[in-house]
Amino acid sequence: MLSSILKYKRPAGVKYCAVGLSCTNLDLFFGVINMKTNCFKDFLKYSFLNILGMVGISFYILADTYFISKGVGVNGLSALNLAIPVFNFINGCGLMIGIGGGTLYSLCKKEKDQQETNKIFTNSLYLALIFSLVFLILGMFFSSEIVLLLKADEEIFSLTKTYIQTIMIFAFAFIINNVLLSYIRNDGSPQLSMVAMLVGSFSNIILDYIFIFPLKMGIFGAVIATCIAPLISIAILTLHFFRKKSNFKLNKCQMNKKIVLNTLTT
């Protein structure tokens, strides 16, 4: 019966098909199939591009690990291992804001409420700046205490402090990058998000080599290379705002308590 339905073409003026299904039901049947097929294609498209971009991001620490082990040595590698939790926590905050806000934006975009989508995006950036400011203050004035909390000994204390302090000062780059990646991906440009992530990641590898070996900057060179990478990614992502199909932009508005809470809990 299914094969008959799949082969069936409705003749002009005929209201019922030979297998006993009304043409309305048949149209509905094919509509459901097409909808499921399109949803699956979109799912594969977004998932593949996102996974590919995340693989690129994994090179941030992988590149640092390799070049620091070769250029700085065992102490540098130990300092990096102690600093990784701080790096991951900063990225996690950016992902929390980006994914939460991006989800709210996607739901609101379906209702074609331009003012509300702009408000959601603006509130996400407000959150990103607040988190960035907190990390900046912690990095500038409390980096030594954080290093002690991570149990760094005297031998690697200064190396660990250099890496953590620099990462926290540049926290805004990682957080805003994650926010933009999520919004632009949800705005129908997963390709641009993927390109930004990959270019940023590979630029980190190149800069790691330049700063550690030719310029002899040690672990500071490695962390600066890591901090420049999201800035390059952000520069690429800003191209989205010059496209006609961009559906969000900064909007002058006050922080909305409901949007902020939904962003952090979604």
Side-chain angles (χ1 to χ4, degrees), residues 22-38:
S22 68
C23 292
T24 301
N25 291 337
L26 194 61
D27 291 340
L28 180 60
F29 174 80
F30 282 112
V32 171
I33 290 179
N34 289 333
M35 183 179 67
K36 289 184 176 180
T37 302
N38 291 335

Side-chain angles (χ1 to χ4, degrees), residues 201-213:
S201 299
F202 288 117
S203 66
N204 179 39
I205 296 173
I206 296 170
L207 292 173
D208 262 334
Y209 173 79
I210 294 173
F211 290 160
I212 292 177
F213 294 107

Side-chain angles (χ1 to χ4, degrees), residues 42-55 190 194:
D42 288 340
F43 173 77
L44 288 179
K45 174 185 174 183
Y46 279 80
S47 298
F48 174 75
L49 294 175
N50 189 41
I51 291 171
L52 190 60
M54 293 303 292
V55 169
M194 180 201 67

Side-chain angles (χ1 to χ4, degrees), residues 3 25 48 76 84 135 153-154 209-210 235:
S3 61
N25 291 337
F48 174 75
I84 283 177
F135 284 120
D153 58 27
E154 295 180 1
Y209 173 79
I210 294 173

